[in-house]
Amino acid sequence: MMEAEEARIAEAVAWRPGNAIKRAEQALIAEKTRVLRPFGLTVPQYAAMYALSLAPGISGAKLARFCSVTPQSMTTVLKTLESRGLVERRPSSDHAQVLVTRLTRAGQALLRKADAAAVAVERRLVEEFTPDEADRLRDLLERAVVVLQETPAGE
């Protein structure tokens, strides 16, 4: 693309916060992907393992929501982690149709290492801001989520 065309596009989208948010998200995911690769994990796999470390047995639907993936994608993530021996899924004692998912010892060990790498990415990002700026950024992003999840009047 010619420089004039690039400048025209950049000028047209400069006011749009979605463009900046998307670019920031893509940069964060790309960096997390890079640091998780040596552990053989994708970002959704890491996120699922992290959530399971905090809430063993959480439902697949809740896990999918936490990880911002579809339930179908989470099923694939969990099957992959299970095939690698990182999670185990067993029928619930309360409901035979429900599978309770937990990290295995191997999963816990791998998560400890992978989490250190992922946390380093997050720390690098946060350290670029003053504590007040980091708090403000989180608040602004949370407000963006809330306003976008509201149903506009008349719909």
Side-chain angles (χ1 to χ4, degrees), residues 76-154:
T76 301
V77 165
L78 292 175
K79 283 182 180 178
T80 299
L81 293 173
E82 185 177 30
S83 73
R84 292 182 56 197
L86 300 173
V87 302
E88 60 183 11
R89 300 188 313 163
R90 299 179 186 221
S92 167
S93 57
D94 298 329
H95 304 287
Q97 302 298 336
V98 175
L99 292 175
V100 176
T101 306
R102 294 188 181 336
L103 291 176
T104 62
R105 285 187 184 194
Q108 292 169 357
L110 182 63
L111 178 61
R112 277 192 296 277
K113 296 173 192 170
D115 190 47
V119 166
V121 171
E122 299 277 353
R123 286 194 198 287
R124 197 171 93 217
L125 176 59
V126 170
E127 287 171 357
E128 192 60 30
F129 303 99
T130 67
D132 287 344
E133 287 173 332
D135 289 344
R136 184 78 175 136
L137 177 60
R138 277 188 290 275
D139 290 345
L140 291 169
L141 290 171
E142 284 301 320
R143 190 173 355 150
V145 170
V146 169
V147 75
L148 292 171
Q149 289 178 340
E150 291 176 352
T151 303

Side-chain angles (χ1 to χ4, degrees), residues 47-58:
M49 290 175 69
Y50 183 74
L52 286 168
S53 76
L54 299 173
I58 187 173

